[in-house]
Amino acid sequence: MAHLAARIEQQVSSPENAGMAAAWLKAILARLIKESAVAVLQVCLTLYFLFYFLRDRVRVLKAIRSFLPLSESDNETLFSRVNDTVHATLYGMLALSALQGLLGGLMFWWLGVPSPWFWALVAAVFAFVPVLDTFVLWLPAAVYLGLEGRWGEALGVAALGSLLVRAIENFLYPALVRDRLRVPSVSIFVSLVGGLLLFG
């Protein structure tokens, strides 16, 4: 911490700048802590419900089928489409996470961030968690490079992390899941953009 404080002191030249930087860091850390707590709670709830859904899946599916006002063939079609949707979504998320991790590792390696392939693995894991996402990695990397005085690399990490990775996710995901979902790519893309505009 003393080494980091010395670096910050070298880069910050006036009390006003120090106050602005401290307020910015405080806001970022508060958001990170809040979103991390929400993510941990969501993971715990997901695992809790997943255990019971997997244990009692046959009974649950029978109960759902009995409540649906559909014929047996329509039930089979509906459950088959739901199954395809779940698998397509999961495989698409895994593929995108691996691709984002690879691109993050290449970006970190190219810009001289220490241990780039370790951070690539961490980026792939974080990319799979919707709340955390890869900004948890590229933002500290950009700050680290900025504190080192390498402002070009810091801006490069921020630009590539915020634009390239997000663009890949929004444009490649529809192509990855299109065949399994049997939905046109345009519909998936419009749904993704609408979800981003509505939910952030």
Side-chain angles (χ1 to χ4, degrees), residues 99-134:
L99 183 59
Q100 286 182 355
L102 177 63
L103 289 175
L106 289 172
M107 177 180 67
F108 291 153
W109 170 75
W110 182 52
L111 296 172
V113 176
S115 304
W117 300 115
F118 168 76
W119 294 116
L121 178 62
V122 176
V125 173
F126 280 2
F128 193 73
V129 181
V131 177
L132 294 177
D133 216 336
T134 54

mmCIF file of all heavy atoms in Angstrom, residues 99-134:
data_model
loop_
_atom_site.group_PDB
_atom_site.id
_atom_site.type_symbol
_atom_site.label_atom_id
_atom_site.label_comp_id
_atom_site.label_asym_id
_atom_site.label_seq_id
_atom_site.Cartn_x
_atom_site.Cartn_y
_atom_site.Cartn_z
ATOM 1 N N LEU A 99 -13.633 -16.607 -25.385
ATOM 2 C CA LEU A 99 -13.120 -15.646 -26.362
ATOM 3 C C LEU A 99 -12.720 -14.337 -25.695
ATOM 4 O O LEU A 99 -11.668 -13.761 -26.012
ATOM 5 C CB LEU A 99 -14.175 -15.396 -27.439
ATOM 6 C CG LEU A 99 -13.774 -14.460 -28.572
ATOM 7 C CD1 LEU A 99 -12.550 -14.998 -29.310
ATOM 8 C CD2 LEU A 99 -14.928 -14.247 -29.524
ATOM 9 N N GLN A 100 -13.527 -13.856 -24.753
ATOM 10 C CA GLN A 100 -13.180 -12.618 -24.054
ATOM 11 C C GLN A 100 -11.929 -12.795 -23.212
ATOM 12 O O GLN A 100 -11.102 -11.891 -23.134
ATOM 13 C CB GLN A 100 -14.356 -12.165 -23.180
ATOM 14 C CG GLN A 100 -15.506 -11.592 -23.968
ATOM 15 C CD GLN A 100 -16.643 -11.115 -23.076
ATOM 16 O OE1 GLN A 100 -16.614 -11.289 -21.871
ATOM 17 N NE2 GLN A 100 -17.644 -10.519 -23.681
ATOM 18 N N GLY A 101 -11.781 -13.965 -22.583
ATOM 19 C CA GLY A 101 -10.557 -14.234 -21.836
ATOM 20 C C GLY A 101 -9.336 -14.239 -22.740
ATOM 21 O O GLY A 101 -8.294 -13.662 -22.404
ATOM 22 N N LEU A 102 -9.454 -14.885 -23.913
ATOM 23 C CA LEU A 102 -8.340 -14.921 -24.864
ATOM 24 C C LEU A 102 -7.979 -13.525 -25.341
ATOM 25 O O LEU A 102 -6.800 -13.137 -25.368
ATOM 26 C CB LEU A 102 -8.710 -15.809 -26.047
ATOM 27 C CG LEU A 102 -7.681 -15.890 -27.179
ATOM 28 C CD1 LEU A 102 -6.379 -16.517 -26.676
ATOM 29 C CD2 LEU A 102 -8.240 -16.679 -28.348
ATOM 30 N N LEU A 103 -8.994 -12.738 -25.716
ATOM 31 C CA LEU A 103 -8.721 -11.372 -26.173
ATOM 32 C C LEU A 103 -8.143 -10.508 -25.057
ATOM 33 O O LEU A 103 -7.245 -9.697 -25.289
ATOM 34 C CB LEU A 103 -10.009 -10.739 -26.707
ATOM 35 C CG LEU A 103 -10.517 -11.297 -28.034
ATOM 36 C CD1 LEU A 103 -11.848 -10.681 -28.399
ATOM 37 C CD2 LEU A 103 -9.503 -11.028 -29.136
ATOM 38 N N GLY A 104 -8.656 -10.705 -23.829
ATOM 39 C CA GLY A 104 -8.100 -9.960 -22.700
ATOM 40 C C GLY A 104 -6.647 -10.323 -22.449
ATOM 41 O O GLY A 104 -5.811 -9.447 -22.191
ATOM 42 N N GLY A 105 -6.319 -11.631 -22.546
ATOM 43 C CA GLY A 105 -4.928 -12.047 -22.364
ATOM 44 C C GLY A 105 -4.016 -11.474 -23.429
ATOM 45 O O GLY A 105 -2.906 -11.013 -23.136
ATOM 46 N N LEU A 106 -4.466 -11.503 -24.692
ATOM 47 C CA LEU A 106 -3.671 -10.910 -25.771
ATOM 48 C C LEU A 106 -3.482 -9.415 -25.566
ATOM 49 O O LEU A 106 -2.393 -8.874 -25.798
ATOM 50 C CB LEU A 106 -4.347 -11.185 -27.123
ATOM 51 C CG LEU A 106 -4.305 -12.629 -27.621
ATOM 52 C CD1 LEU A 106 -5.173 -12.787 -28.868
ATOM 53 C CD2 LEU A 106 -2.870 -13.054 -27.906
ATOM 54 N N MET A 107 -4.547 -8.745 -25.126
ATOM 55 C CA MET A 107 -4.447 -7.308 -24.885
ATOM 56 C C MET A 107 -3.464 -7.018 -23.752
ATOM 57 O O MET A 107 -2.595 -6.144 -23.875
ATOM 58 C CB MET A 107 -5.840 -6.757 -24.539
ATOM 59 C CG MET A 107 -5.867 -5.281 -24.185
ATOM 60 S SD MET A 107 -7.537 -4.705 -23.783
ATOM 61 C CE MET A 107 -7.855 -5.590 -22.258
ATOM 62 N N PHE A 108 -3.573 -7.766 -22.645
ATOM 63 C CA PHE A 108 -2.659 -7.552 -21.526
ATOM 64 C C PHE A 108 -1.214 -7.870 -21.921
ATOM 65 O O PHE A 108 -0.284 -7.172 -21.522
ATOM 66 C CB PHE A 108 -3.068 -8.405 -20.328
ATOM 67 C CG PHE A 108 -4.366 -7.974 -19.687
ATOM 68 C CD1 PHE A 108 -5.156 -8.888 -19.002
ATOM 69 C CD2 PHE A 108 -4.805 -6.672 -19.767
ATOM 70 C CE1 PHE A 108 -6.346 -8.497 -18.416
ATOM 71 C CE2 PHE A 108 -6.000 -6.265 -19.187
ATOM 72 C CZ PHE A 108 -6.769 -7.187 -18.516
ATOM 73 N N TRP A 109 -1.028 -8.947 -22.701
ATOM 74 C CA TRP A 109 0.325 -9.314 -23.141
ATOM 75 C C TRP A 109 0.918 -8.247 -24.044
ATOM 76 O O TRP A 109 2.069 -7.857 -23.910
ATOM 77 C CB TRP A 109 0.271 -10.656 -23.862
ATOM 78 C CG TRP A 109 1.545 -11.011 -24.557
ATOM 79 C CD1 TRP A 109 2.700 -11.442 -23.989
ATOM 80 C CD2 TRP A 109 1.779 -10.959 -25.968
ATOM 81 N NE1 TRP A 109 3.650 -11.667 -24.956
ATOM 82 C CE2 TRP A 109 3.108 -11.368 -26.185
ATOM 83 C CE3 TRP A 109 0.998 -10.603 -27.058
ATOM 84 C CZ2 TRP A 109 3.674 -11.436 -27.445
ATOM 85 C CZ3 TRP A 109 1.546 -10.674 -28.326
ATOM 86 C CH2 TRP A 109 2.874 -11.084 -28.498
ATOM 87 N N TRP A 110 0.113 -7.751 -24.978
ATOM 88 C CA TRP A 110 0.583 -6.761 -25.939
ATOM 89 C C TRP A 110 0.939 -5.449 -25.256
ATOM 90 O O TRP A 110 1.905 -4.785 -25.625
ATOM 91 C CB TRP A 110 -0.493 -6.553 -27.001
ATOM 92 C CG TRP A 110 -0.109 -5.585 -28.086
ATOM 93 C CD1 TRP A 110 1.017 -5.607 -28.850
ATOM 94 C CD2 TRP A 110 -0.862 -4.452 -28.516
ATOM 95 N NE1 TRP A 110 1.015 -4.560 -29.729
ATOM 96 C CE2 TRP A 110 -0.134 -3.831 -29.553
ATOM 97 C CE3 TRP A 110 -2.085 -3.908 -28.140
ATOM 98 C CZ2 TRP A 110 -0.579 -2.688 -30.212
ATOM 99 C CZ3 TRP A 110 -2.538 -2.781 -28.806
ATOM 100 C CH2 TRP A 110 -1.787 -2.184 -29.822
ATOM 101 N N LEU A 111 0.179 -5.072 -24.220
ATOM 102 C CA LEU A 111 0.406 -3.799 -23.545
ATOM 103 C C LEU A 111 1.334 -3.925 -22.342
ATOM 104 O O LEU A 111 1.560 -2.951 -21.635
ATOM 105 C CB LEU A 111 -0.933 -3.189 -23.113
ATOM 106 C CG LEU A 111 -1.857 -2.819 -24.283
ATOM 107 C CD1 LEU A 111 -3.224 -2.413 -23.782
ATOM 108 C CD2 LEU A 111 -1.242 -1.693 -25.103
ATOM 109 N N GLY A 112 1.851 -5.111 -22.075
ATOM 110 C CA GLY A 112 2.871 -5.254 -21.041
ATOM 111 C C GLY A 112 2.360 -5.373 -19.627
ATOM 112 O O GLY A 112 3.086 -5.046 -18.678
ATOM 113 N N VAL A 113 1.139 -5.844 -19.448
ATOM 114 C CA VAL A 113 0.612 -6.071 -18.099
ATOM 115 C C VAL A 113 1.232 -7.364 -17.554
ATOM 116 O O VAL A 113 1.305 -8.359 -18.273
ATOM 117 C CB VAL A 113 -0.928 -6.159 -18.119
ATOM 118 C CG1 VAL A 113 -1.478 -6.494 -16.746
ATOM 119 C CG2 VAL A 113 -1.529 -4.862 -18.631
ATOM 120 N N PRO A 114 1.708 -7.362 -16.307
ATOM 121 C CA PRO A 114 2.315 -8.582 -15.752
ATOM 122 C C PRO A 114 1.323 -9.754 -15.712
ATOM 123 O O PRO A 114 0.128 -9.562 -15.503
ATOM 124 C CB PRO A 114 2.719 -8.169 -14.332
ATOM 125 C CG PRO A 114 2.802 -6.686 -14.371
ATOM 126 C CD PRO A 114 1.806 -6.229 -15.384
ATOM 127 N N SER A 115 1.839 -10.985 -15.896
ATOM 128 C CA SER A 115 1.064 -12.239 -15.858
ATOM 129 C C SER A 115 -0.193 -12.174 -16.736
ATOM 130 O O SER A 115 -1.318 -12.362 -16.250
ATOM 131 C CB SER A 115 0.659 -12.565 -14.422
ATOM 132 O OG SER A 115 1.783 -12.618 -13.585
ATOM 133 N N PRO A 116 -0.046 -11.923 -18.037
ATOM 134 C CA PRO A 116 -1.237 -11.714 -18.871
ATOM 135 C C PRO A 116 -2.132 -12.938 -18.991
ATOM 136 O O PRO A 116 -3.359 -12.805 -19.043
ATOM 137 C CB PRO A 116 -0.646 -11.313 -20.229
ATOM 138 C CG PRO A 116 0.723 -11.889 -20.243
ATOM 139 C CD PRO A 116 1.195 -11.850 -18.815
ATOM 140 N N TRP A 117 -1.552 -14.164 -19.009
ATOM 141 C CA TRP A 117 -2.394 -15.346 -19.241
ATOM 142 C C TRP A 117 -3.136 -15.767 -17.985
ATOM 143 O O TRP A 117 -4.218 -16.346 -18.069
ATOM 144 C CB TRP A 117 -1.555 -16.479 -19.814
ATOM 145 C CG TRP A 117 -0.944 -16.033 -21.101
ATOM 146 C CD1 TRP A 117 0.375 -15.857 -21.370
ATOM 147 C CD2 TRP A 117 -1.646 -15.617 -22.283
ATOM 148 N NE1 TRP A 117 0.540 -15.381 -22.650
ATOM 149 C CE2 TRP A 117 -0.679 -15.232 -23.238
ATOM 150 C CE3 TRP A 117 -2.991 -15.548 -22.628
ATOM 151 C CZ2 TRP A 117 -1.010 -14.773 -24.507
ATOM 152 C CZ3 TRP A 117 -3.333 -15.092 -23.886
ATOM 153 C CH2 TRP A 117 -2.352 -14.706 -24.811
ATOM 154 N N PHE A 118 -2.571 -15.455 -16.824
ATOM 155 C CA PHE A 118 -3.334 -15.664 -15.598
ATOM 156 C C PHE A 118 -4.560 -14.754 -15.595
ATOM 157 O O PHE A 118 -5.678 -15.178 -15.274
ATOM 158 C CB PHE A 118 -2.456 -15.395 -14.371
ATOM 159 C CG PHE A 118 -3.242 -15.320 -13.090
ATOM 160 C CD1 PHE A 118 -3.723 -16.472 -12.490
ATOM 161 C CD2 PHE A 118 -3.519 -14.091 -12.493
ATOM 162 C CE1 PHE A 118 -4.460 -16.409 -11.316
ATOM 163 C CE2 PHE A 118 -4.258 -14.022 -11.326
ATOM 164 C CZ PHE A 118 -4.720 -15.179 -10.738
ATOM 165 N N TRP A 119 -4.339 -13.484 -15.967
ATOM 166 C CA TRP A 119 -5.454 -12.542 -16.000
ATOM 167 C C TRP A 119 -6.437 -12.879 -17.109
ATOM 168 O O TRP A 119 -7.625 -12.561 -17.013
ATOM 169 C CB TRP A 119 -4.937 -11.104 -16.139
ATOM 170 C CG TRP A 119 -4.162 -10.681 -14.937
ATOM 171 C CD1 TRP A 119 -2.851 -10.348 -14.878
ATOM 172 C CD2 TRP A 119 -4.658 -10.583 -13.597
ATOM 173 N NE1 TRP A 119 -2.497 -10.047 -13.585
ATOM 174 C CE2 TRP A 119 -3.585 -10.179 -12.780
ATOM 175 C CE3 TRP A 119 -5.897 -10.790 -13.003
ATOM 176 C CZ2 TRP A 119 -3.718 -9.989 -11.412
ATOM 177 C CZ3 TRP A 119 -6.036 -10.602 -11.643
ATOM 178 C CH2 TRP A 119 -4.956 -10.203 -10.866
ATOM 179 N N ALA A 120 -5.944 -13.544 -18.166
ATOM 180 C CA ALA A 120 -6.868 -14.012 -19.207
ATOM 181 C C ALA A 120 -7.824 -15.052 -18.652
ATOM 182 O O ALA A 120 -9.023 -15.028 -18.936
ATOM 183 C CB ALA A 120 -6.073 -14.575 -20.380
ATOM 184 N N LEU A 121 -7.304 -15.974 -17.836
ATOM 185 C CA LEU A 121 -8.159 -16.984 -17.219
ATOM 186 C C LEU A 121 -9.168 -16.342 -16.275
ATOM 187 O O LEU A 121 -10.360 -16.683 -16.280
ATOM 188 C CB LEU A 121 -7.298 -17.991 -16.462
ATOM 189 C CG LEU A 121 -8.039 -19.100 -15.716
ATOM 190 C CD1 LEU A 121 -8.827 -19.970 -16.681
ATOM 191 C CD2 LEU A 121 -7.070 -19.950 -14.910
ATOM 192 N N VAL A 122 -8.705 -15.379 -15.476
ATOM 193 C CA VAL A 122 -9.617 -14.683 -14.562
ATOM 194 C C VAL A 122 -10.664 -13.905 -15.352
ATOM 195 O O VAL A 122 -11.842 -13.871 -14.987
ATOM 196 C CB VAL A 122 -8.819 -13.756 -13.618
ATOM 197 C CG1 VAL A 122 -9.750 -12.951 -12.724
ATOM 198 C CG2 VAL A 122 -7.846 -14.564 -12.773
ATOM 199 N N ALA A 123 -10.254 -13.286 -16.465
ATOM 200 C CA ALA A 123 -11.202 -12.538 -17.303
ATOM 201 C C ALA A 123 -12.270 -13.459 -17.879
ATOM 202 O O ALA A 123 -13.446 -13.094 -17.958
ATOM 203 C CB ALA A 123 -10.458 -11.825 -18.427
ATOM 204 N N ALA A 124 -11.872 -14.682 -18.283
ATOM 205 C CA ALA A 124 -12.851 -15.629 -18.815
ATOM 206 C C ALA A 124 -13.868 -16.019 -17.751
ATOM 207 O O ALA A 124 -15.065 -16.128 -18.032
ATOM 208 C CB ALA A 124 -12.133 -16.867 -19.349
ATOM 209 N N VAL A 125 -13.404 -16.211 -16.514
ATOM 210 C CA VAL A 125 -14.325 -16.549 -15.423
ATOM 211 C C VAL A 125 -15.259 -15.385 -15.142
ATOM 212 O O VAL A 125 -16.473 -15.551 -14.993
ATOM 213 C CB VAL A 125 -13.536 -16.951 -14.161
ATOM 214 C CG1 VAL A 125 -14.477 -17.129 -12.975
ATOM 215 C CG2 VAL A 125 -12.755 -18.232 -14.405
ATOM 216 N N PHE A 126 -14.697 -14.165 -15.075
ATOM 217 C CA PHE A 126 -15.522 -12.996 -14.783
ATOM 218 C C PHE A 126 -16.492 -12.688 -15.918
ATOM 219 O O PHE A 126 -17.578 -12.168 -15.670
ATOM 220 C CB PHE A 126 -14.650 -11.777 -14.504
ATOM 221 C CG PHE A 126 -14.087 -11.740 -13.110
ATOM 222 C CD1 PHE A 126 -14.327 -12.754 -12.209
ATOM 223 C CD2 PHE A 126 -13.300 -10.684 -12.699
ATOM 224 C CE1 PHE A 126 -13.814 -12.731 -10.930
ATOM 225 C CE2 PHE A 126 -12.775 -10.647 -11.412
ATOM 226 C CZ PHE A 126 -13.038 -11.670 -10.533
ATOM 227 N N ALA A 127 -16.085 -12.977 -17.158
ATOM 228 C CA ALA A 127 -16.978 -12.718 -18.288
ATOM 229 C C ALA A 127 -18.211 -13.599 -18.228
ATOM 230 O O ALA A 127 -19.258 -13.236 -18.760
ATOM 231 C CB ALA A 127 -16.236 -12.943 -19.604
ATOM 232 N N PHE A 128 -18.099 -14.749 -17.578
ATOM 233 C CA PHE A 128 -19.248 -15.651 -17.453
ATOM 234 C C PHE A 128 -20.240 -15.158 -16.411
ATOM 235 O O PHE A 128 -21.409 -15.535 -16.441
ATOM 236 C CB PHE A 128 -18.757 -17.057 -17.096
ATOM 237 C CG PHE A 128 -19.804 -18.111 -17.243
ATOM 238 C CD1 PHE A 128 -20.203 -18.532 -18.499
ATOM 239 C CD2 PHE A 128 -20.403 -18.681 -16.135
ATOM 240 C CE1 PHE A 128 -21.186 -19.510 -18.648
ATOM 241 C CE2 PHE A 128 -21.377 -19.646 -16.268
ATOM 242 C CZ PHE A 128 -21.769 -20.063 -17.533
ATOM 243 N N VAL A 129 -19.774 -14.306 -15.470
ATOM 244 C CA VAL A 129 -20.648 -13.763 -14.423
ATOM 245 C C VAL A 129 -21.177 -12.420 -14.911
ATOM 246 O O VAL A 129 -20.408 -11.464 -15.040
ATOM 247 C CB VAL A 129 -19.890 -13.600 -13.092
ATOM 248 C CG1 VAL A 129 -20.802 -13.055 -12.007
ATOM 249 C CG2 VAL A 129 -19.276 -14.924 -12.667
ATOM 250 N N PRO A 130 -22.482 -12.299 -15.195
ATOM 251 C CA PRO A 130 -22.992 -11.073 -15.818
ATOM 252 C C PRO A 130 -22.776 -9.817 -14.994
ATOM 253 O O PRO A 130 -22.532 -8.758 -15.540
ATOM 254 C CB PRO A 130 -24.494 -11.358 -15.974
ATOM 255 C CG PRO A 130 -24.619 -12.835 -15.938
ATOM 256 C CD PRO A 130 -23.513 -13.323 -15.045
ATOM 257 N N VAL A 131 -22.862 -9.889 -13.675
ATOM 258 C CA VAL A 131 -22.758 -8.672 -12.855
ATOM 259 C C VAL A 131 -21.343 -8.148 -12.845
ATOM 260 O O VAL A 131 -21.108 -6.943 -12.934
ATOM 261 C CB VAL A 131 -23.256 -8.954 -11.422
ATOM 262 C CG1 VAL A 131 -23.088 -7.730 -10.540
ATOM 263 C CG2 VAL A 131 -24.710 -9.381 -11.444
ATOM 264 N N LEU A 132 -20.364 -9.037 -12.727
ATOM 265 C CA LEU A 132 -18.977 -8.594 -12.616
ATOM 266 C C LEU A 132 -18.430 -8.145 -13.963
ATOM 267 O O LEU A 132 -17.972 -7.029 -14.112
ATOM 268 C CB LEU A 132 -18.117 -9.724 -12.043
ATOM 269 C CG LEU A 132 -18.427 -10.119 -10.606
ATOM 270 C CD1 LEU A 132 -17.558 -11.287 -10.187
ATOM 271 C CD2 LEU A 132 -18.216 -8.942 -9.662
ATOM 272 N N ASP A 133 -18.473 -9.025 -14.949
ATOM 273 C CA ASP A 133 -17.969 -8.743 -16.274
ATOM 274 C C ASP A 133 -16.468 -8.463 -16.240
ATOM 275 O O ASP A 133 -15.831 -8.493 -15.197
ATOM 276 C CB ASP A 133 -18.736 -7.586 -16.914
ATOM 277 C CG ASP A 133 -18.916 -7.800 -18.401
ATOM 278 O OD1 ASP A 133 -18.110 -8.541 -18.988
ATOM 279 O OD2 ASP A 133 -19.856 -7.237 -18.975
ATOM 280 N N THR A 134 -15.881 -8.183 -17.408
ATOM 281 C CA THR A 134 -14.427 -8.048 -17.492
ATOM 282 C C THR A 134 -13.929 -6.668 -17.071
ATOM 283 O O THR A 134 -12.726 -6.476 -16.959
ATOM 284 C CB THR A 134 -13.957 -8.328 -18.931
ATOM 285 O OG1 THR A 134 -14.688 -7.488 -19.835
ATOM 286 C CG2 THR A 134 -14.182 -9.783 -19.297
#
